[in-house]
Amino acid sequence: MSFRMIEPWVNPRSKFYWFRRRVPAKYRQFGMPSEIKFSLETTDRDEAVLRCQEENLKLERQWRANIVGTPPTDLSHLQITALAGEFYAETVAAHRDEPGLAITWERSLENLKDRKRAPIGSTGPHLYVMFGPEARAFLQRKGIHLVGEKLESFLRAYVEAKEFAGRTLLRHAKRDYTSDKEITERFPKFEPPNPPKKFDVLWAEFDTARALSASTKKKWQPYFMQLIKRVGSDDMSRVTEQHLLDWRDALLATKISPVTVRYGYIAAAQAFFGWAKRAKKLPYNPAAEVFVEVSEKHETDMRRFDDREAATILSAALAPMNEAMTEENAAARRWVPFLCAYTGARVNELTQLRACDVLDVQGIACIRITPEAGTVKTSRERTVPLHSHLLEMKFVEWALRKKGPTPLFYSEARKRKPARKNPPYTSVGNKLAEWVRKLGIKDPTVAPNHAWRHRFKTVARKVKMDREVRDAIQGHAPRTEGEDYGEVPPDVMLPEILKYPKYEIATPAERRDRRRRGQRRIDPGVPA
């Protein structure tokens, strides 16, 4: 930042050089006067230049350290008076037992009288220059930030309390400990303006209001722990826009990508503080205008599985499973890729399926995707018909071997940590992603599970699947209020799902057999 050089001002009404500076607009919005001026107490120009620059540097440091980005505290006249009483009581208590020499307090009171003396018409700015730093230090210890008229009002009360304290301690130094009840009764009891808004309390309320998924909580909570450490307090009412801007810049200075900062860290802050403001838990939203610019080179489009990749995964899903695998993991590898392929659902919506979520609706075999089983991004239940190929493969018969709320793709009995943050169905999805990568699909622009959703959408467009029905099948939120009316029942979905071409997949054994017989290698038939 540039530092402005200030020249001493020749005041026509004084024999001394003066300091004079207009306060920048960015600081005036925090309650500073439009101009600050005071005597430098010297007639020597060279000395005045040095003092002028020293005072200017002090001002710059105060402004940058204590003003910018700090939300003001709103105190009433009574609270300001009570706060000055707090200062009086603390000052007297600090010296009550050992007040020292009487002459020390006499000189202190004389000095105070001189410091209070201000040029006509400039009492407010003068008090800020003379007593601002010490008054602000006291306010900072109390966690209070005052600006404008509130700050000026406190400075007047502060100086008055300082004088009362000096007189009381002068009496003590003279061995007069007569009760100072007359003074203490001037000050009402101070009540803090706002109780702290602790993160843990707000987070619990936010979690309840938004019904956060386990994966979202696991991802977001560490972000806020970082922010709290940076701010130095878990009182969310003390978090300012400047805190969040500094946090954002620090993250961008690391190896974390701008995309992650934007859609991870800052998105979490905007969701949390936005809710807190709307719910009247916090007076304002410090994240409202905190953004991360992402250049086009960072906006990498994630693509769908192509025909070869889809065939590779589905073929491997048909292969015999390792006998060391659990029954549930083998089932997930066998069925979840095909369910993803024919429904376009999110992988964790499928890995959380229970036996009771495979059901018959008016003669149509369906799966029910519901938040009751785990997590659904839109928090809306939907019932999706099964493609005829899944019926041919006997998925329904396999699923109904289990009963009621029994999970299909993980075991409740084998959960290692029942209270862990990462739910078991998420772990199943993660294992499937690792397996897909081991099949040789390593392109970073292809998400090993989510690419099925991209592929389903692409193929659905090619076969002219009804757009509104297609979105309902995949669980996308309605684009308009009109689309949000009514439902898309299974008997409406089924004809559209049946437009989706059947995957003609060769098993690994069949592909090896072709190679042994010397047949020309061909790709398995998949939807174009």
Side-chain angles (χ1 to χ4, degrees), residues 247-266:
W247 184 43
R248 176 202 64 186
D249 294 344
L251 290 169
L252 291 173
T254 67
K255 294 182 179 180
I256 301 173
S257 75
V259 172
T260 300
V261 175
R262 177 177 179 176
Y263 296 110
Y265 294 81
I266 301 305

Side-chain angles (χ1 to χ4, degrees), residues 11-24:
N11 188 337
R13 298 181 180 180
S14 173
K15 64 179 180 179
F16 297 123
Y17 284 101
W18 278 49
F19 177 92
R20 185 180 186 183
R21 179 178 176 184
R22 288 192 62 79
V23 178

Side-chain angles (χ1 to χ4, degrees), residues 206-459:
F206 175 60
D207 180 16
T208 300
R210 293 288 295 271
L212 298 179
S213 68
S215 58
T216 298
K217 287 187 283 187
K218 180 184 178 183
K219 181 180 179 182
W220 283 7
Q221 278 188 297
Y223 297 163
F224 289 101
M225 293 303 103
Q226 286 186 30
L227 178 61
I228 288 169
K229 184 176 180 180
R230 185 173 191 85
V231 173
S233 172
D234 65 349
D235 181 358
M236 294 294 98
S237 65
R238 299 183 65 179
V239 177
T240 68
E241 181 181 88
Q242 193 63 46
H243 284 136
L244 294 174
L245 291 172
D246 291 343
W247 184 43
R248 176 202 64 186
D249 294 344
L251 290 169
L252 291 173
T254 67
K255 294 182 179 180
I256 301 173
S257 75
V259 172
T260 300
V261 175
R262 177 177 179 176
Y263 296 110
Y265 294 81
I266 301 305
Q270 289 174 337
F272 175 77
F273 287 110
W275 164 83
K277 172 64 171 63
R278 292 189 299 274
K280 308 299 182 184
K281 305 294 183 181
L282 293 176
Y284 81 116
N285 174 9
E289 296 185 7
V290 178
F291 300 104
V292 179
E293 297 298 332
V294 178
S295 65
E296 291 184 3
K297 67 180 181 179
H298 290 297
E299 293 279 13
T300 304
D301 289 332
M302 301 304 289
R303 68 172 179 84
R304 64 183 175 88
F305 287 131
D306 60 27
D307 292 351
R308 182 192 62 79
E309 291 163 338
T312 297
I313 296 168
L314 296 180
S315 177
L318 296 174
M321 301 299 168
N322 188 320
E323 292 182 359
M325 292 178 68
T326 66
E327 176 188 352
E328 291 78 18
N329 282 339
R333 191 175 293 186
R334 172 73 169 80
W335 292 111
V336 172
F338 279 96
L339 289 168
C340 284
Y342 283 123
T343 66
R346 302 171 183 88
V347 68
N348 288 341
E349 293 177 335
L350 298 173
T351 56
Q352 71 190 21
L353 286 175
R354 304 161 301 177
C356 61
D357 295 323
V358 180
L359 65 164
D360 183 285
V361 179
Q362 297 179 342
I364 301 173
C366 303
I367 57 172
R368 177 180 57 197
I369 296 172
T370 172
E372 182 183 305
T375 180
V376 178
K377 188 172 183 180
T378 59
S379 298
R380 295 187 178 195
E381 179 179 310
R382 68 186 189 275
T383 301
V384 180
L386 294 171
H387 192 279
S388 56
H389 189 196
L390 286 165
L391 302 184
E392 293 174 16
M393 296 170 70
K394 306 295 185 185
F395 169 73
V396 173
E397 289 82 350
W398 170 82
L400 295 183
R401 291 186 304 165
K402 298 185 178 183
K403 303 297 180 184
T406 306
L408 296 179
F409 302 117
Y410 65 90
S411 170
E412 289 281 3
R414 279 195 290 271
K415 281 202 291 189
R416 289 172 294 177
K417 297 179 182 178
R420 64 182 180 178
K421 293 180 179 179
N422 203 19
Y425 54 81
T426 300
S427 296
V428 175
N430 293 340
K431 288 179 181 178
L432 286 172
E434 294 171 5
W435 170 66
V436 169
R437 290 301 190 207
K438 290 178 181 178
L439 294 176
I441 301 172
K442 300 184 182 298
D443 186 340
T445 66
V446 177
N449 287 322
H450 205 69
W452 283 117
R453 282 177 68 76
H454 290 283
R455 181 175 176 84
F456 183 92
K457 187 77 75 177
T458 300
V459 176

Side-chain angles (χ1 to χ4, degrees), residues 29-30 67 69-75 144-148 150 194 283-284:
Q29 67 177 319
F30 290 95
I67 300 173
T70 305
T73 308
D74 185 22
L75 295 185
I144 293 173
H145 175 59
L146 299 178
V147 300
K150 302 289 186 182
N194 296 306
Y284 81 116

